[in-house]
Amino acid sequence: MKSAVETLNPTRVRLTVEVPFEELKDSLDAAYKKINQQVTVKGFRKGKIPARVIDQRFGRGAVLEEAVNDALPKFYTEAVNEAEVNPLGQPEVDITELKDGELLAFTAEVDIRPTIEIPDYSGIEVEVDPIEVTDEDIEKSVEQLRDRFASTNPVERAATDGDVVTIDLEAKVDGEVLPDGVAEGVSYTIGSGELLDGIDEAVKGLEAGGEATFTSQLKGGSAEGKDAEVTVKVTQVAARELPELDDEFAQMASEFDTLDELKADSRKRLENTKQYDQATQAQERVLEKLLELVEVPIPEKLLEDEVNTRKHNLEHHQLGQMGMTLEKYLELQGKTVEEFDAETKEQAVKGIKTQFVLDELVNTEKLNVNQEELTEHLMRRASSSGMSPDQFAQAVVEGGQVPMLVGEVARGKALAVVVEAAKVTDTNGVVVDLSDEDEDEDAAQTVEAVVADEDQAEAK
């Protein structure tokens, strides 16, 4: 076999391959054997039909077609390895010559990973938010916990903000009660914003037995998006009573004996959360700086696949689970289709660029992923997917996604190397130390969020 490679642009090549006919012998034998098992010829046992009879009855062309289809992937792979290129996606193959007994020639155009030069990244500097937990933050945290332990007691007075009312609802459109427009015994906290627009104003000031009518645009159901005349009747008003903030509350709401211990734990939890947020912010900003330093050509076909994958996942998975159309989503976001397309393309470019740059860093820094790191990442991915580790691992293996997980961990380690070399300070001028043992896994999560569906698009 002879092959040559022609660079069409920084992200696409054309391979030209010539195969002497004798190198097709194994594929020709396999073609005759396959056809032998598929056809029946009177006078011959199944599988024992001579090649000359198959040629006569079914045509030599059918055999050659079967043989070439079998041989092409092997010769294409050999040509790719010989040319030392990294193909992306499936090639566009064109058979340019097929002479029986003499020669098979074909070309294959395919996108490739561009050659990337990683510059010196040791001078990267970024600024992040400081870790500051105020007394007000602690009070807010404790109040949220206190709110969870609130009790409700019926009262004989008009409803006001914060009260829990039990209500009956009836919605009409064009004077007709909707088939799904009646609900009874609904519990609603005034001011929560969890029901219809305008309901807070309607029920405030009503006592048990009172009712009011208001107009509101329906958020779901058979008449979604239409204006409805809604009648609401209050059947009960209940006041929420918060427990006293004391040691007894701490013992009821936590494993601590005193309120001071509970507050100290809240402070520690908030500090840990802000520390994690700070590390994530540092990783994101360091990654932005790194990408600014590197020129990366983007393969057109890969970009097209990535944009389509992101759109499909948003429309058919994320929005589909919420029962929302893309049109409705764009309306709520206040975006035009053109703005959405431009934004999706920008995100896709960033995802592809991130993967290319970090993969190159994995190679230049000679980073490896061990079993412990892969297992830890798998456990986290399983947790976020709602599956058990065993179920998730089985799905990953059956779906051939192990290399994808390895790539995620490796890219996380590459980003962690760059973050470690960068100078990170908070807005108060304090140098931030990010040399935490979990930094690689945290970075993997950051990279995963940026790259998103790019792995799946590349695999297509």
Side-chain angles (χ1 to χ4, degrees), residues 9-12 88 92 110-112 114 297-308 345 348-349 352 356:
N9 61 51
T11 63
R12 194 167 178 83
L88 299 170
E92 294 179 7
V110 66
D111 284 338
I112 60 169
I298 305 296
E300 290 183 13
K301 182 65 168 61
L302 182 62
L303 177 58
E304 180 185 340
D305 288 346
E306 169 66 356
V307 168
N308 290 336
K345 183 177 180 179
V349 168
I352 295 171
F356 284 173

Side-chain angles (χ1 to χ4, degrees), residues 17-19 24 68 72 75 95 97-98 102-106:
V17 184
E18 293 184 356
V19 182
L24 287 172
V68 169
L72 276 177
F75 292 122
I95 296 174
E97 192 171 358
L98 178 57
E102 295 183 30
L103 179 73
L104 164 67
F106 67 91

Side-chain angles (χ1 to χ4, degrees), residues 70-84:
D70 176 75
L72 276 177
K74 181 184 74 169
F75 292 122
Y76 166 71
T77 301
E78 288 181 15
V80 163
N81 293 336
E82 205 172 275
E84 297 183 342

Side-chain angles (χ1 to χ4, degrees), residues 16-275:
T16 303
V17 184
E18 293 184 356
V19 182
F21 210 79
E22 57 266 23
E23 293 187 33
L24 287 172
K25 183 180 183 307
D26 289 345
S27 294
L28 279 168
D29 291 344
Y32 279 114
K33 185 175 181 180
K34 182 176 180 180
I35 293 173
N36 239 309
Q37 299 299 323
Q38 293 175 338
V39 302
T40 302
V41 177
K42 190 176 181 179
F44 296 96
R45 284 183 297 159
K46 199 173 185 66
K48 299 295 184 180
I49 308 170
R52 59 179 176 77
V53 174
I54 291 176
D55 288 347
Q56 292 169 357
R57 296 293 294 271
F58 304 101
R60 174 72 167 175
V63 179
L64 288 175
E65 182 179 355
E66 183 66 41
V68 169
N69 288 340
D70 176 75
L72 276 177
K74 181 184 74 169
F75 292 122
Y76 166 71
T77 301
E78 288 181 15
V80 163
N81 293 336
E82 205 172 275
E84 297 183 342
V85 295
N86 295 308
L88 299 170
Q90 298 301 314
E92 294 179 7
V93 178
D94 181 26
I95 296 174
T96 54
E97 192 171 358
L98 178 57
K99 290 184 178 179
D100 194 357
E102 295 183 30
L103 179 73
L104 164 67
F106 67 91
T107 61
E109 288 191 19
V110 66
D111 284 338
I112 60 169
R113 281 178 176 263
T115 301
I116 298 173
E117 294 278 341
I118 301 295
D120 179 15
Y121 50 79
S122 61
I124 290 178
E125 297 184 9
V126 297
E127 195 174 63
V128 294
D129 297 332
I131 297 175
E132 294 177 345
V133 178
T134 65
D135 290 341
E136 288 76 14
D137 293 331
I138 305 300
E139 294 302 323
K140 183 178 179 181
S141 175
V142 173
E143 280 298 325
Q144 289 173 343
L145 181 62
R146 186 186 182 200
D147 193 62
R148 285 166 49 193
F149 284 85
S151 59
T152 56
N153 294 301
V155 292
E156 295 182 2
R157 60 165 173 76
T160 188
D161 278 325
D163 284 345
V164 179
V165 289
T166 304
I167 54 178
D168 297 336
L169 294 165
E170 182 184 80
K172 294 180 181 180
V173 173
D174 297 329
E176 296 291 329
V177 178
L178 297 171
D180 54 356
V182 177
E184 296 180 347
V186 177
S187 180
Y188 175 67
T189 301
I190 299 176
S192 66
E194 294 174 353
L195 277 178
L196 300 167
D197 292 338
I199 194 168
D200 288 340
E201 292 76 11
V203 297
K204 278 192 290 188
L206 295 181
E207 298 184 17
E211 67 177 57
T213 301
F214 63 100
T215 301
S216 182
Q217 188 179 79
L218 299 178
K219 298 179 180 178
S222 60
E224 179 182 1
K226 293 185 177 180
D227 287 339
E229 184 182 87
V230 182
T231 299
V232 56
K233 181 178 180 180
V234 177
T235 59
Q236 178 181 276
V237 179
R240 300 179 75 254
E241 294 185 4
L242 298 174
E244 290 293 328
L245 278 179
D246 52 23
D247 293 345
E248 186 176 337
F249 166 71
Q251 293 163 19
M252 173 182 66
S254 71
E255 70 270 32
F256 301 106
D257 293 326
T258 68
L259 184 60
D260 286 342
E261 289 174 330
L262 174 61
K263 288 183 176 182
D265 181 70
S266 295
R267 180 178 293 277
K268 183 178 179 181
R269 289 175 184 272
L270 287 172
E271 286 175 347
N272 289 340
T273 298
K274 286 180 178 285
Q275 188 173 34

Side-chain angles (χ1 to χ4, degrees), residues 420-440:
E420 189 174 344
K423 181 181 179 182
V424 182
T425 57
D426 67 22
T427 52
N428 294 328
V430 177
V431 175
V432 177
D433 180 12
L434 294 172
S435 57
D436 185 86
E437 59 181 13
D438 293 327
E439 184 183 349
D440 289 356

